[in-house]
Amino acid sequence: MERHTQPWGRNIFGQSAVVCVRVLRIGLIAFGFAFILNSPPAGAQEFSDSPGEDAFLILQTNLQPPYQQLQDGILKGYSITVLNCAFDRIGLGYGIAIAPRQRNREMVRNGQADGFFLARISPFMDEYADPTLPLALEKWVWISAAGQQGSFASIPAPDSLLSVAAILGSNEAEWLAEQGYHEIAKVPLITSLISQVLAGRVEYALVDKQTFEAARDDMGHHEAQFKIQFERYAPLVIYFGREYTRRNPDLIGALNTALRTCETLPMRLEDWERDLITRQQLPMIRTMAGDPNLIAAVRSALGTADVRAGALADLDREWRRDSERGVASAKAGEILENSLSGILRSFQKGDAENIAEIFVFNTKGAVIGMNRLTSDFDQSDEPKFKVVIRQDPDLSQIADIYFDGSTRTFLSQVTVPVVDPETGNVIAAMTVGLDVSGALRPDS
């Protein structure tokens, strides 16, 4: 196949008519069609010297307030801002076509569209498409009417006789079907779903919390009218069709690199979540940090962890560069083999449902032990570093939730001091990445 040598950010306006004809020919006027073109800014960074001939792409999407919505005919929202940032950084022009969610997925599956967003990570889509890092993070909750009999002592089970609903074609409806919920009432709009819950026609509905709250407030309802129970977190990504990624094999890697700099905002822990971690997880983490075997291994690692002045930044750059490619730098490989890392791996395996990662860093911020490769070596520029510099053995930090692309899990990092029992001094700090989808469930 002949390959063009022009950059990804080529002039898109000469192709826009062709693209529009193609989109219209396959019939995307189901409920009103919108097509948006974005051209890269002058001087945008290019990530490939020889991109595929079809690098310019069309992404299918659907309206999903507040993440993306039409305002005066312009598609806006948080996910669009992140998307524009990422594509501008790699210098790639693209178009967006709006159609129903189910139609979008089918078009990607059939090779009629290059990609689709916002999509949850799905084993079914993995069969024919490849995901990026998330553009947005959702928190799914069960809602019911406040006056309804019964309680949320347990989340509605697939074999329950309770009526369950979701928005037609939504990520939540797909997930419910995958979990074995057979009788799912599928309602076309979030406003209709809320009305049916309040009217008692549906006992439980699974929705994104932010989408629900925005619609509830627009409808003039009060939060006291509903019961809410957390179910899970869901990353929302772009899925690129396998045919497109075959022709443009470097795109997802370049886009993911850009997405790391167009960072998805952390999902803030709510008060009940922070309280649950404090009561149920923090005591366990402090116990691990005080384990005599761990403290002995920390002392040993500290003895070999001296880094000459000015070398920390160099080692960190090398570490980050190699980590982005999924490999360990020389320093990282050395640390992965020490006894402290072995102890941390055994801790993680002992509670794998709740813990995704554990690492220890010294009073200079340098990682000295880890159960798996971390994204960076130097922790001194992060808020967690205060746990060692304040020398307070009772101090801890519970960070907001972020998505870890390497494990496809949502993590909240909990950091506690490692205290030398002989001197009472803080000699290091241990960070535990809690998989909040497991650790924060009510039945965890």
Side-chain angles (χ1 to χ4, degrees):
M1 178 182 295
E2 182 182 358
R3 297 173 69 84
H4 293 284
T5 57
Q6 61 207 90
W8 285 3
R10 56 189 170 178
N11 188 326
I12 65 175
F13 297 104
Q15 298 188 36
S16 60
V18 175
V19 174
C20 287
V21 168
R22 170 192 165 208
V23 174
L24 292 172
R25 187 177 71 238
I26 53 183
L28 285 186
I29 319 179
F31 64 90
F33 169 76
F35 187 76
I36 300 95
L37 291 173
N38 180 70
S39 58
Q45 184 176 5
E46 296 163 9
F47 278 75
S48 174
D49 293 329
S50 56
E53 64 178 27
D54 296 319
F56 174 83
L57 57 89
I58 302 299
L59 295 177
Q60 301 295 132
T61 194
N62 60 291
L63 299 181
Q64 188 175 344
Y67 300 100
Q68 51 206 44
Q69 53 195 324
L70 284 175
Q71 297 178 359
D72 299 324
I74 300 174
L75 191 61
K76 296 183 178 180
Y78 176 72
S79 62
I80 304 302
T81 300
V82 174
L83 199 65
N84 287 338
C85 171
F87 279 112
D88 284 349
R89 287 186 183 277
I90 66 174
L92 173 60
Y94 70 101
I96 299 175
I98 298 173
R101 179 184 295 272
Q102 289 175 308
R103 178 81 59 82
N104 291 336
R105 281 192 294 265
E106 281 301 302
M107 289 178 64
V108 173
R109 187 175 67 83
N110 295 329
Q112 295 173 311
D114 300 323
F116 163 55
F117 74 100
L118 294 163
R120 70 186 178 93
I121 290 179
S122 159
F124 294 102
M125 288 201 70
D126 284 343
E127 294 176 2
Y128 56 86
D130 299 307
T132 65
L133 291 178
L135 275 68
L137 313 179
E138 284 190 325
K139 178 185 292 186
W140 291 358
V141 295
W142 293 97
I143 63 170
S144 69
Q148 179 178 294
Q149 295 295 319
S151 68
F152 278 116
S154 60
I155 292 172
D159 56 356
S160 170
L161 296 178
L162 298 169
S163 58
V164 171
I167 298 172
L168 177 66
S170 67
N171 288 312
E172 296 92 319
E174 271 192 349
W175 182 82
L176 286 170
E178 289 175 9
Q179 302 307 305
Y181 291 84
H182 301 296
E183 300 298 327
I184 308 168
K186 297 175 182 176
V187 182
L189 300 172
I190 181 64
T191 50
S192 302
L193 186 61
I194 291 172
S195 297
Q196 292 202 19
V197 167
L198 288 177
R201 289 191 287 272
V202 170
E203 292 173 285
Y204 295 96
L206 186 64
V207 295
D208 167 55
K209 188 172 186 286
Q210 190 173 351
T211 301
F212 160 68
E213 289 175 343
R216 178 200 66 197
D217 294 345
D218 286 345
M219 296 172 72
H221 297 306
H222 192 272
E223 60 181 307
Q225 295 176 260
F226 302 89
K227 293 179 182 177
I228 296 180
Q229 175 63 65
F230 170 75
E231 169 57 48
R232 70 193 302 265
Y233 296 93
L236 300 182
V237 303
I238 310 172
Y239 262 108
F240 287 100
R242 191 101 352 111
E243 177 60 22
Y244 185 85
T245 57
R246 183 189 64 79
R247 296 192 304 265
N248 301 278
D250 298 328
L251 174 65
I252 290 182
L255 196 59
N256 284 343
T257 298
L259 283 170
R260 291 187 179 97
T261 60
C262 303
E263 195 169 321
T264 301
L265 292 174
M267 183 178 289
R268 294 197 175 277
L269 286 169
E270 296 183 31
D271 290 343
W272 72 267
E273 293 169 319
R274 194 173 294 276
D275 178 64
L276 194 63
I277 291 174
T278 300
R279 288 187 293 105
Q280 293 191 358
Q281 305 295 336
L282 187 56
M284 174 268 296
I285 293 170
R286 287 195 182 278
T287 299
M288 286 193 298
D291 183 277
N293 292 326
L294 178 129
I295 293 172
V298 167
R299 285 175 177 151
S300 176
L302 289 173
T304 60
D306 287 336
V307 177
R308 62 179 175 81
L312 185 59
D314 292 337
L315 289 169
D316 187 58
R317 278 192 293 271
E318 181 183 1
W319 186 301
R320 287 172 181 265
R321 184 192 65 230
D322 290 348
S323 176
E324 287 181 359
R325 296 188 292 113
V327 298
S329 66
K331 186 64 175 178
E334 173 189 324
I335 292 170
L336 283 167
E337 295 299 319
N338 68 24
S339 61
L340 175 57
S341 294
I343 290 173
L344 296 177
R345 279 191 287 272
S346 67
F347 282 167
Q348 187 274 328
K349 290 178 181 177
D351 194 9
E353 290 186 359
N354 292 329
I355 297 176
E357 67 173 0
I358 315 180
F359 60 91
V360 174
F361 56 92
N362 65 17
T363 55
K364 294 180 181 178
V367 171
I368 59 174
M370 53 190 173
N371 76 303
R372 63 180 179 91
L373 181 63
T374 61
S375 60
D376 54 357
F377 176 51
D378 183 10
Q379 309 297 311
S380 65
D381 59 346
E382 300 187 21
K384 66 170 74 73
F385 188 55
K386 70 181 181 182
V387 171
V388 292
I389 62 176
R390 291 190 182 179
Q391 287 292 308
D392 181 353
D394 297 321
L395 188 63
S396 65
Q397 187 209 55
I398 302 174
D400 285 326
I401 299 165
Y402 74 99
F403 181 75
D404 179 71
S406 63
T407 61
R408 290 188 172 188
T409 53
F410 289 96
L411 304 182
S412 171
Q413 290 188 336
V414 181
T415 304
V416 299
V418 177
V419 180
D420 187 330
E422 295 180 3
T423 65
N425 295 331
V426 175
I427 57 175
M430 184 177 76
T431 295
V432 174
L434 286 177
D435 179 352
V436 294
S437 293
L440 294 182
R441 280 182 63 91
D443 54 357
S444 66

